[in-house]
Each structure stands twice: as structure tokens, then as C-alpha cells.
Amino acid sequence: MSLVGATRQAALDVVATADDVAAFAESLGLAASGRTPTTYPIRWLTRPEVVDIVRALAADRPGSLPVHELQTVEAIADLPLDRPLSLTLEVRRTDEIHLSLDAMVSDAAAPVARLHAVLRLVP
């Protein structure tokens, strides 16, 4: 049975700790800049809850590996450190070999980042 057109949603509590952001910046060679890399929120797309959604939407292609084909992060405001944030996510199986992920990261007051990723299911 094809899963093309299927959609799953999730809402996750996330935190960007100062230590995690510093380690991420260092891994990118940006430690000296002192700023939070714009791409930091992409890390949350590897959480088990998201992996489970991707796995469920790719269940009709056993053995396929989801590979990032495209990703964008739009910073709306500075990412607050060490404060609770929410990440709302929608994942859609757009065709036989692609999934599209759209997410919004928000603090208590307003959105702080928008994420979009396309995954290709590679045999």
C-alpha cells in the first residue's frame, strides 16, 4: 500500500542549551563568532519522535534510507537559549521517494524559526 499523500504531525518541547549551541557552533568552525548558527534547530529533526514519523511514512519502502535533499532554516527572531521552546511539525509523503518536513519553533510569545526539509528515500 502506498503512503503517498499521508501526513503526520507532532508537537515537541525543545531547548537550545548554551552548551549544545556552543558545541554545534564549534563543530561548524564558528565557535569564535559567539553567535548561534542559524541551522541549529535542524538538530531537533533527529529526535526519536521525528525519526519514528519518518519511518512510519516510509514503511512502504523497507530498507530505504532518508537522505536530506534540501533544508532551509528561516530565523524569525534570535533563538532563546536555555528556555523552553515548542516545535510543531508536519511531515508529508509527497511522492514515491520524497517526504517534506515543515516545522515552526516558538517561544511563549512568538515564532522564532521556520524549518523546511525534503528527504529522499534512497534504496
Side-chain angles (χ1 to χ4, degrees), residues 2-111:
S2 174
L3 290 167
V4 173
T7 301
R8 302 284 189 279
Q9 298 175 337
L12 309 173
D13 295 324
V14 296
V15 175
T17 69
D19 289 343
D20 285 345
V21 168
F24 185 76
E26 184 174 341
S27 75
L28 298 175
L30 300 173
S33 74
R35 69 174 190 80
T36 300
T38 304
T39 56
Y40 178 84
I42 287 291
R43 294 187 63 206
W44 294 319
L45 299 184
T46 64
R47 287 189 39 163
E49 302 94 325
V50 178
V51 171
D52 288 345
I53 290 171
V54 169
R55 188 174 289 126
L57 290 174
D60 61 339
R61 295 185 63 89
S64 291
L65 177 65
V67 176
H68 272 95
E69 186 171 277
L70 172 140
Q71 68 183 25
T72 60
V73 179
E74 176 188 355
I76 299 169
D78 290 338
L79 188 66
L81 300 180
D82 299 313
R83 291 197 348 230
L85 301 168
S86 64
L87 181 140
T88 55
L89 173 74
E90 180 175 281
V91 184
R92 292 178 311 282
R93 178 72 175 273
T94 56
D95 61 32
E96 286 298 320
I97 63 168
H98 290 103
L99 290 103
S100 178
L101 295 85
D102 289 292
M104 183 71 70
V105 180
S106 303
D107 68 6

